[in-house]
Amino acid sequence: FIQLREKNLDTDSFLKEAAEIKELCARYHVPFVINDNVEIAKEINADGVHVGQEDMAAGNARAILGSDKIIGVSAHTVEEAVLAEKNGADYLGVGAAFQTGTKKDAGNISHETIKQICKAVNIPVIAIGGITHDNVMELAGSGICGIAVVSAIFAAEDITKATRELKELTLKMKDSTCISKDNASS
């Protein structure tokens, strides 16, 4: 799953970059979503969009993109998570799980809050923020279904090796309480 997050590009450059990444992701059958920008997600026919609390409600994004698109929502509290699910979110990005340099305005949320969010919703919860090879195992038992990373991979000397190792650790960390749409009723 790839999410393109560009905060400082002009629209034409963003569109060009998004179209190139979409093509690459399609070649490898990797879902591709755009962060925050529903208009660009619609224009390039991305697989979906991820919106923050200050961006757009999940229901509004769904109305613009259609029922077949992925809608992700950032959540920091149980209340935000429950509302996002009620409004049609397909998954939640929850964090920051740890201190992060990638998103300067992200405050950490406790691992207890992450657990509470996982218990409160029936959609996948993805932890984000400051997750590394060294701390990913601290998320074991939280109920999350996966992690989102930037620096843990792109700041590594060997990106392929870092990705492989982080994936292996994440699979070990992932706990059986992970909720997905397929087993939400079980």
Side-chain angles (χ1 to χ4, degrees), residues 1 33-34 38 41 46-52 56-74 84-85 87-93 123-124 181:
F1 197 120
V33 299
I34 302 291
V38 177
D47 295 310
V49 69
H50 183 94
V51 293
M56 179 182 289
N60 294 341
R62 173 83 58 220
I64 293 168
L65 296 179
S67 62
D68 63 330
K69 298 299 183 180
I70 300 165
I71 307 295
V73 176
S74 297
E85 179 180 36
N87 286 333
D90 293 307
Y91 74 91
L92 300 171
I123 57 177
K181 286 184 173 184

Side-chain angles (χ1 to χ4, degrees), residues 17-105:
E17 181 178 34
E20 290 171 1
I21 295 171
K22 179 188 177 222
E23 180 184 323
L24 182 63
C25 287
R27 191 176 324 145
Y28 292 97
H29 308 287
V30 173
F32 175 57
V33 299
I34 302 291
N35 187 71
D36 293 341
N37 197 318
V38 177
E39 293 77 24
I40 285 183
K42 182 174 180 159
E43 186 162 339
I44 67 154
N45 194 28
D47 295 310
V49 69
H50 183 94
V51 293
Q53 289 296 312
E54 299 81 31
D55 300 318
M56 179 182 289
N60 294 341
R62 173 83 58 220
I64 293 168
L65 296 179
S67 62
D68 63 330
K69 298 299 183 180
I70 300 165
I71 307 295
V73 176
S74 297
H76 311 92
T77 67
V78 171
E79 294 77 19
E80 289 175 355
V82 169
L83 183 60
E85 179 180 36
K86 180 181 174 187
N87 286 333
D90 293 307
Y91 74 91
L92 300 171
V94 175
F98 301 97
Q99 188 66 38
T100 178
T102 306
K103 192 171 182 186
K104 303 295 184 199
D105 62 342

